[in-house]
Amino acid sequence: MNTDAVAMAKRNIERNVAGGGSIDGAVRDLKSLGAPAEIVDEARRQYLVAVNQIIELKDPGALVDREVVEGKWYAGPSPEHVLWPALEAKLAKGLPDEALREIDRSSTRVVGLLRPPGASPIRTRGLVLGHVQSGKTTSFMSVAAKAADVGYRMVIVLSGITDNLRSQTQARLEDQLVGAQAANWYLLTSRDADFAETGNATALMQSSNHRLLAVVKKNPHRLRRLRDWIRSAGEAAQLSCPILIIDDEADQASIDVGKKRMSVINKLIREILENPKAAYVAYTATPFANLLIDPSAAEGLYPRDFIVSLNAGKGYYGAERLFGRDLLEHIEDDALGEPDDVIREVPEGDVPSVQPPKGKGAVETWDPSIAPSLKTALDWFFLATAARRARGDMDAHSSMLIHTSMLSEAHRRLHAVVNQYRDDLQDLVSSLDAATMRDLEALWVTESARVECGADEAPLMWQDVLAQLGDVLANARVLVDNYRSDARLLYADDEPSTVIAIGGNTLSRGLTLEGLVSSYFVRAASAYDTLLQMGRWFGYRGGYSDLVRIWMTSELADWFQNLATVEAEIRHEIRRYELEGLKPTQLAVKIRTDPAMTITNAAKMKHAVHAQLDYSGKREQTILFRHEDAGWLRKNWEAAERLLEEAVEHPGVVPGRVDGTGRPVVRGVPGSLVRDFVNDYQFHEDSQRLQRSLLDKYMDKEQAEGALDSWSVVIMSNQKDAHGQCPVGPFESVNLISRTRSKPLEAGKANIKALAGSTDRAADLPALLEGLSATATDREIARARKVASAPPLLALYPIAPNSSTNREDRVELRAAHPIMGVAIFFPGAVAAGSSVDYVAADLSNVLVEEYEQELAALDELDKLDEQVAVAQDLEMGAKP
């Protein structure tokens, strides 16, 4: 068979479908023109194979509306395409082959979920979930190139709310997406100028000789101009010009929150999307607000068609790697890695020196100073930069972030003391001051020993670092970047920058700090998305991952660890829903809440609903304890003893020992006693799933249907006396077990990460394991219990207070009293609707003052931008 003829026929089918036609129609046309039937049929088969490969990809994970799946059309790049091959060649110079293949796969996936450019109407709404500082721009550039190759004629990138970020995005797209293909692009914006186009919209939109590109700030004046310009082209031009709108940082400013400028932005985006052929793809690493948009609004921005989760590339430093996360208790055999040892604490006593007091006008009387923790962070920045230079990275940018307040006056005042410290340190180092040299050397030796060098990171001696330190200090500059400052954090391609950036909101979203090695962060934020976006230290750190350090308060570190758990759950939900064939509209209720934080700004949550929690078939375990609170621990121990003592007094209940393990067991315990224990036991306040009211409500519904009425209770003792013994109720001598605290440590709270073992569901009936493999999972054991009609199981874990460890990632428990851990192994639910409401955090606790300050800053930005735009219009002779 003529393979060239097959390839040509396949391309004809692709073009026909992209133009809005059908596969069968394309086949009929080819055959009517005399193409051999066997050639056309083989071309049709190859096209369908290519399309099905795209739709069936499980990598990246995607949550897709069934109608989109059934409308599959894009078979990937073709030989005659121009823009993607050019971009691919450009990307290949700086990306490993594996990373480039992943970008190719995921971008093909996204384009395949759009509607064909020839279809009418186009009303696509999608969401691409990336990672903070992890290649979202590269991803949407690739999507834009492939979409433009197949017939989308205009690409609009909505890029943040600051000129700095818009300019940075414009530069990236000009260098990489446009590049050598400038003849095929018509740029409606430039690095220096946001949208102010007065050219002939009709002629430009109808032309097939080029693709239009606009990078536009999310600003009312700019978007209004863009909307009006597109409308001026007329309906015929709009129908001939499919538009792809890529909303970068889509959770910022785009969401309708019903307050001032934000709703104006949302309204203008939706008005642009009224075009007959307009697709909208949101890009964000913090999708919390996007997933809480009202999905019932027909022309809203909820991603009703698809949600795609991008994979982080190899070597990515995200929240989980830096801060760790909790075990995803509802996910089978969840695997946890230990975080890198890069987080350093800012003591609460240091905060007043670097952060102004709260209250209107309080900053005007604030005198900042170099707190000890800030001094260490600054010293480390200079040392780490010198180490990079010693490794040969002479042309690499190196940055430090200082983020302690959103107030511009605070930035100005802090800049003065930081700049003075740099000057003083430069003088001390140049004079080889003995005390300074001793302190810097000690810091280098201590810190370099705490984090192991990577494969591409050469170990260095102190003298190697010292040799570069003088030049680093001489070239370092301290910069304020906020909406009032004239200076901007810009990195030249031909000149390495060594910069300490002090700022707030302009440094907290979208903007990349090149070569970020030291971060000092004490800024409070109450929302998931705000806090994650402030984490500019996420990203790739090839060649210097061992040098990255982050200073923050212990509370903030705890919040970031919680956010890593939230983020992991969302990505798991997307993959799980994909396998179950569910729609994107069913994802919004699956965001875990945190009692100390809100998911996003309260106004963005106005359409949120309460999620539901289900204990059916689950293994729920206590992993958090107030290990220093002897009274709290004693009450829980006594609660377990009361349960056992009351159980053995119940008629027909006799204490015994489990065959083979000798563990104490009580069988036939009435469900009412277990419910009393659940209400008597004090679960840690940070335990999301183990809350008395939720457990009691679930058990009440199940018991009303005759379930959970008889339990087995096992004490999970050691077979040998290795950690001491204690009496537990009617059992006079019980061997204690060992559990230790996981790092990072938190005052007053012990996190042991995991309590129950993988086979503990069979603790009362070890014979259940005989028919299973040695690696049997909790789910398999649950099925075995169901087949054997085994009762629900409550396991009590008596933990030795002095549990010790040799592992570097853990520390001795040091509890004030023996700890009683609890694991509840629920069988499958019997009652319909046994799931229970999972109450969201109280939204009235949102930091209203901070939100209003942010709005005021943005309003001032709008006024300044309006003045610039009007001046540009007058210069061009246009009507304001």
Side-chain angles (χ1 to χ4, degrees):
M1 185 176 294
N2 189 326
T3 56
D4 290 339
V6 171
M8 184 177 297
K10 176 172 171 282
R11 289 197 292 274
N12 272 285
I13 294 174
E14 291 172 358
R15 283 193 291 266
N16 189 293
V17 176
S22 68
I23 299 173
D24 291 339
V27 168
R28 283 195 302 271
D29 289 346
L30 285 169
K31 290 182 177 178
S32 68
L33 292 173
E38 65 273 16
I39 295 291
V40 177
D41 291 342
E42 176 60 17
R44 180 181 185 276
R45 187 194 69 79
Q46 290 187 14
Y47 174 78
L48 289 175
V49 167
V51 172
N52 284 332
Q53 284 176 342
I54 296 165
I55 295 301
E56 293 171 3
L57 274 177
K58 296 298 186 290
D59 186 12
L63 180 58
V64 184
D65 183 56
R66 288 191 185 92
E67 293 180 4
V68 177
V69 174
E70 293 166 2
K72 49 189 176 286
W73 63 278
Y74 181 61
S78 294
E80 69 269 22
H81 290 169
V82 174
L83 301 176
W84 163 247
L87 175 60
E88 183 181 31
K90 189 92 172 180
L91 295 175
K93 296 178 181 178
L95 290 175
D97 291 343
E98 180 183 348
L100 187 58
R101 285 194 296 269
E102 173 63 24
I103 290 167
D104 187 14
R105 285 195 299 265
S106 60
S107 57
T108 291
R109 176 66 158 146
V110 174
V111 175
L113 297 174
L114 305 174
R115 292 210 65 197
S120 187
I122 296 175
R123 290 281 184 266
T124 306
R125 301 289 188 274
L127 169 67
V128 178
L129 172 58
H131 298 258
V132 177
Q133 302 272 91
S134 178
K136 293 191 301 297
T137 304
T138 301
S139 174
F140 70 65
M141 277 195 301
S142 303
V143 169
K146 292 181 179 181
D149 271 331
V150 294
Y152 277 85
R153 291 189 178 180
M154 179 185 292
V155 176
I156 299 170
V157 178
L158 305 178
S159 183
I161 60 174
T162 66
D163 285 320
N164 205 5
L165 179 55
R166 193 212 70 82
S167 179
Q168 185 182 81
T169 304
Q170 176 87 33
R172 284 276 309 272
L173 267 63
E174 285 186 21
D175 290 342
Q176 296 184 308
L177 177 62
V178 178
Q181 295 297 316
N184 292 314
W185 289 97
Y186 185 93
L187 303 186
L188 300 171
T189 56
S190 69
R191 302 185 189 202
D192 300 322
D194 203 335
F195 187 82
E197 180 62 45
T198 56
N200 189 318
T202 304
L204 289 171
M205 291 178 66
Q206 284 186 328
S207 173
S208 60
N209 296 326
H210 55 240
R211 299 292 184 257
L212 305 176
L213 176 63
V215 182
V216 184
K217 189 163 71 270
K218 283 186 259 190
N219 166 276
H221 178 80
R222 300 299 179 178
L223 292 176
R224 197 174 292 116
R225 280 297 176 96
L226 178 62
R227 176 204 62 191
D228 293 345
W229 185 79
I230 293 173
R231 285 178 175 177
S232 72
E235 184 177 359
Q238 292 173 21
L239 284 170
S240 67
C241 184
I243 300 173
L244 172 60
I245 297 179
I246 294 171
D247 190 351
D248 189 19
E249 307 294 348
D251 59 311
Q252 185 186 39
S254 302
I255 310 298
D256 181 11
V257 299
K259 278 201 175 190
K260 297 168 73 176
R261 81 186 302 277
M262 301 298 188
S263 285
V264 173
I265 297 293
N266 178 267
K267 179 175 180 288
L268 288 167
I269 293 174
R270 290 166 67 165
E271 287 174 350
I272 295 172
L273 288 169
E274 289 174 359
N275 280 272
K277 292 188 174 188
Y280 173 86
V281 180
Y283 268 78
T284 182
T286 51
F288 313 110
N290 303 81
L291 297 177
L292 297 175
I293 297 172
D294 183 5
S296 66
E299 299 304 320
L301 302 184
Y302 183 78
R304 60 176 179 261
D305 294 313
F306 65 85
I307 300 172
V308 170
S309 175
L310 299 179
N311 293 321
K314 184 178 180 181
Y316 174 71
Y317 277 74
E320 182 174 338
R321 181 166 179 179
L322 292 173
F323 298 93
R325 65 168 171 84
D326 295 332
L327 186 73
L328 303 186
E329 299 171 356
H330 60 290
I331 296 176
E332 185 69 20
D333 299 326
D334 183 33
L336 283 179
E338 290 300 324
D340 291 352
D341 185 17
V342 299
I343 310 301
R344 304 291 177 263
E345 184 179 358
V346 175
E348 290 297 331
D350 284 4
V351 174
S353 298
V354 297
Q355 186 180 73
K358 298 187 183 303
K360 188 173 183 179
V363 68
E364 301 298 334
T365 59
W366 176 62
D367 291 320
S369 60
I370 301 297
S373 56
L374 179 55
K375 177 184 183 303
T376 305
L378 287 164
D379 289 349
W380 178 252
F381 168 65
F382 299 126
L383 292 174
T385 304
R388 294 189 65 194
R389 302 289 183 256
R391 284 176 175 166
D393 293 338
M394 304 301 294
D395 297 327
H397 302 302
S398 188
S399 303
M400 177 178 181
L401 167 68
I402 300 178
H403 190 156
T404 66
S405 172
M406 67 177 294
L407 302 177
S408 58
E409 177 61 20
H411 304 155
R412 186 187 70 80
R413 290 170 178 254
L414 191 57
H415 172 270
V417 296
V418 171
N419 199 50
Q420 185 62 53
Y421 179 79
R422 186 208 67 84
D423 291 344
D424 293 343
L425 184 62
Q426 183 182 5
D427 292 341
L428 291 168
V429 169
S430 62
S431 64
L432 297 177
D433 178 74
T436 302
M437 292 296 100
R438 184 171 58 250
D439 291 346
L440 290 174
E441 181 178 5
L443 178 61
W444 170 256
V445 171
T446 301
E447 283 294 336
S448 60
R450 291 182 65 171
V451 181
E452 190 174 327
C453 295
D456 57 345
E457 297 160 353
L460 296 170
M461 302 299 292
W462 164 242
Q463 292 302 324
D464 300 327
V465 177
L466 180 60
Q468 302 293 330
L469 187 57
D471 287 343
V472 167
L473 284 163
N475 293 323
R477 58 194 178 102
V478 184
L479 173 83
V480 169
D481 190 316
N482 58 37
Y483 70 97
R484 285 184 175 173
S485 62
D486 294 329
R488 282 291 178 264
L489 184 58
L490 300 174
Y491 297 94
D493 293 335
D494 56 351
E495 183 179 352
S497 295
T498 302
V499 60
I500 299 169
I502 303 173
N505 290 348
T506 61
L507 297 179
S508 67
R509 181 183 284 269
L511 190 67
T512 298
L513 276 74
E514 301 286 351
L516 182 62
V517 290
S518 180
S519 300
Y520 192 85
F521 183 75
V522 297
R523 165 85 178 274
S526 63
Y528 291 2
D529 46 11
T530 304
L531 195 60
L532 269 180
Q533 288 290 353
M534 287 178 177
R536 296 292 92 194
W537 44 79
F538 302 136
Y540 298 94
R541 303 289 179 256
Y544 62 98
S545 64
D546 63 317
L547 302 176
V548 173
R549 299 292 185 274
I550 305 166
W551 278 262
M552 61 174 52
T553 62
S554 58
E555 180 184 46
L556 280 170
D558 184 38
W559 284 4
F560 274 106
Q561 183 180 23
N562 292 342
L563 286 177
T565 307
V566 172
E567 185 180 19
E569 284 187 332
I570 289 177
R571 295 181 191 279
H572 173 78
E573 288 295 297
I574 291 174
R575 293 181 177 91
R576 181 174 69 84
Y577 279 40
E578 179 193 13
L579 295 175
E580 295 178 5
L582 301 177
K583 291 184 177 182
T585 50
Q586 294 169 289
L587 186 66
V589 298
K590 297 297 184 181
I591 302 174
R592 172 196 288 228
T593 61
D594 186 289
M597 304 174 68
T598 58
I599 291 174
T600 185
N601 184 276
K604 296 179 183 178
M605 292 185 66
K606 62 183 179 179
H607 298 296
V609 295
H610 290 284
Q612 290 191 315
L613 195 74
D614 193 343
Y615 294 106
S616 175
K618 298 296 192 297
R619 172 187 61 194
E620 304 296 341
Q621 57 183 316
T622 55
I623 61 172
L624 303 177
F625 303 95
R626 295 186 195 171
H627 67 298
E628 298 173 349
D629 189 339
W632 188 83
L633 297 173
R634 186 180 300 108
K635 287 180 181 178
N636 282 346
W637 191 277
E638 292 170 353
E641 289 188 311
R642 275 192 299 274
L643 167 65
L644 294 168
E645 289 167 352
E646 291 176 12
V648 298
E649 292 176 4
H650 198 273
V653 177
V654 179
R657 297 277 176 171
V658 177
D659 291 339
T661 66
R663 285 170 173 157
V665 62
V666 181
R667 305 184 193 275
V669 178
S672 59
L673 293 182
V674 175
R675 281 185 67 182
D676 289 343
F677 168 74
V678 167
N679 284 294
D680 200 10
Y681 188 93
Q682 297 183 50
F683 299 99
H684 195 281
E685 57 271 18
D686 289 348
S687 296
Q688 294 293 324
R689 295 178 63 87
L690 288 171
Q691 299 183 28
R692 293 178 188 172
S693 59
L694 303 182
L695 288 164
D696 188 67
K697 188 182 295 185
Y698 178 81
M699 295 173 73
D700 181 62
K701 290 181 179 179
E702 285 292 289
Q703 289 178 357
E705 296 297 324
L708 304 184
D709 58 350
S710 178
W711 290 67
S712 290
V713 180
V714 175
I715 301 179
M716 303 296 293
S717 61
N718 261 341
Q719 294 187 40
K720 296 182 179 180
D721 177 14
H723 306 286
Q725 296 181 332
C726 273
V728 183
F731 300 95
E732 294 183 358
S733 181
V734 173
N735 295 333
L736 302 181
I737 66 172
S738 176
R739 295 290 187 274
T740 55
R741 286 185 289 163
S742 174
K743 293 181 180 179
L745 303 180
E746 300 177 61
K749 181 168 73 175
N751 186 341
I752 64 172
K753 291 290 186 181
L755 175 73
S758 59
T759 61
D760 285 5
R761 192 184 282 267
D764 61 330
L765 296 169
L768 291 174
L769 299 176
E770 294 176 2
L772 302 175
S773 68
T775 58
T777 65
D778 180 74
R779 187 174 301 170
E780 291 171 326
I781 299 172
R783 285 197 292 267
R785 288 190 76 92
K786 181 178 181 180
V787 171
S789 299
L793 174 64
L794 174 68
L796 303 174
Y797 294 75
I799 303 172
N802 58 347
S803 298
S804 59
T805 179
N806 293 323
R807 290 176 55 180
E808 293 183 358
D809 58 317
R810 289 183 171 270
V811 299
E812 184 179 351
L813 184 56
R814 294 183 183 177
H817 185 277
I819 294 177
M820 185 60 72
V822 176
I824 309 174
F825 298 90
F826 286 104
V830 172
S834 285
S835 58
V836 295
D837 292 335
Y838 190 73
V839 182
D842 183 3
L843 301 183
S844 63
N845 291 328
V846 174
L847 297 178
V848 177
E849 180 184 354
E850 178 175 315
Y851 178 58
E852 292 298 336
Q853 288 175 339
E854 181 180 3
L855 283 179
L858 296 178
D859 286 341
E860 186 166 340
L861 272 175
D862 286 346
K863 292 177 183 177
L864 293 173
D865 193 75
E866 178 81 20
Q867 296 170 6
V868 173
V870 169
Q872 289 176 345
D873 289 341
L874 292 173
E875 184 178 341
M876 297 171 63
K879 183 179 179 180

